[in-house]
Amino acid sequence: MLRHRGDAVRCPICGHGFDAFAPAWNRGDALCWRCGAHERHRALWLLLQARPAMLAQARALLHFAPEYCLRGALERAARREGFRYDTADLDPAGVDLQLDITRMPLADGAYDAVLCSHVLEHVADDAAAMRELRRVTAPGGWCVVMVPADVTRATTYEDASIVAPAARREAFLQDDHVRLYGRDVEDRLRAAGFTVEVVRPREAFGEDALRRAGLLEGDWIYVCGTP
Ligand SMILES: [Zn+2]
């Protein structure tokens, strides 16, 4: 890591600067050398930094499939801002709550802040998952959703007959993805009862921040609200 120190790029999560980010298996300039953050994690953190009220006003935050780099930053934010921070996953290892996102044993409006990034592409019934996210998000709260998507596609590509890992990788980019989302993610979230704001990194953060934080233009962030 030391030999990559520099100030060409800077990770907004851990605050360290580098000559470039580390390569990932399929692309260069991707991962933070220090905290391991990917482009999408840095985009999400920039959003939370740009809108400090999101965490400052939160009382209880539910974080699905908690990413290591964000988890540490959110634990610190929870202590600082005084909100409860719960992690959840279908796999109970290392999380607070074992949850099936399509059927959560949680009260309506149990959380006023929810993070669900790169989960729905693994869920067969994503409409049910989105309705559950809507149900457990308290009125006036927020639910931030990210999915891997091909934003050049208007509509999501799904085919339930594609189940073999290699075929899924070919069709949906990864062995365990069940669809390839397009730009209609926001329509799906609205159908679940959310209001939806689409945050596109280039527009939201500007060209300079995009380059400095090493963000991907296509990592759109869906900031969902409960009317
Ligand atoms: Zn970092």
Side-chain angles (χ1 to χ4, degrees):
M1 184 191 87
L2 279 178
R3 69 191 176 90
H4 293 286
R5 266 198 193 154
D7 58 7
V9 300
R10 184 175 167 279
C11 173
I13 302 177
C14 68
H16 286 258
F18 309 101
D19 55 359
F21 289 108
W25 67 275
N26 60 348
R27 62 193 187 282
D29 207 22
L31 313 176
C32 175
W33 295 96
R34 174 82 182 196
C35 73
H38 293 218
E39 298 95 332
R40 65 177 182 272
H41 307 137
R42 299 193 294 269
L44 182 54
W45 196 252
L46 279 185
L47 175 76
L48 294 173
Q49 285 187 325
R51 303 182 184 185
M54 287 177 76
L55 292 180
Q57 292 172 6
R59 288 191 319 228
L61 191 160
L62 180 62
H63 187 187
F64 281 94
E67 305 92 332
Y68 173 78
C69 56
L70 288 172
R71 187 173 187 159
L74 287 165
E75 282 167 351
R76 287 189 292 280
R79 285 194 294 273
R80 188 175 65 241
E81 307 286 358
F83 60 84
R84 192 172 91 239
Y85 174 60
D86 292 340
T87 55
D89 203 298
L90 189 56
D91 177 350
V95 293
D96 301 312
L97 304 168
Q98 179 183 18
L99 291 180
D100 173 349
I101 196 169
T102 64
R103 228 167 33 134
M104 294 188 263
L106 298 173
D108 294 357
Y111 291 87
D112 60 351
V114 179
L115 289 174
C116 182
S117 178
H118 286 231
V119 172
L120 296 171
E121 70 277 14
H122 302 279
V123 178
D125 190 352
D126 68 332
M130 290 176 183
R131 286 192 301 271
E132 276 293 83
L133 288 170
R134 166 68 183 84
R135 186 183 66 76
V136 303
T137 304
W142 52 263
C143 172
V144 166
V145 171
M146 295 180 80
V147 291
D150 176 353
V151 295
T152 67
R153 293 186 63 89
T155 56
T156 293
Y157 172 42
E158 291 184 281
D159 181 344
S161 73
I162 300 175
V163 291
R168 280 183 167 172
R169 187 166 60 242
E170 175 74 19
F172 312 135
L173 305 179
Q174 204 170 297
D175 290 5
D176 56 349
H177 288 182
V178 298
R179 69 184 63 79
L180 177 60
Y181 282 109
R183 296 191 304 275
D184 56 344
V185 178
E186 65 177 290
D187 303 326
R188 291 171 174 239
L189 289 163
R190 284 200 184 94
F194 279 122
T195 62
V196 183
E197 175 196 3
V198 185
V199 175
R200 298 173 184 83
R202 183 181 298 277
E203 290 168 22
F205 309 122
E207 190 63 41
D208 192 50
L210 195 81
R211 189 183 47 75
R212 287 276 294 164
L215 310 186
L216 296 174
E217 273 190 79
D219 275 342
W220 294 4
I221 305 170
Y222 297 90
V223 181
C224 303
T226 49

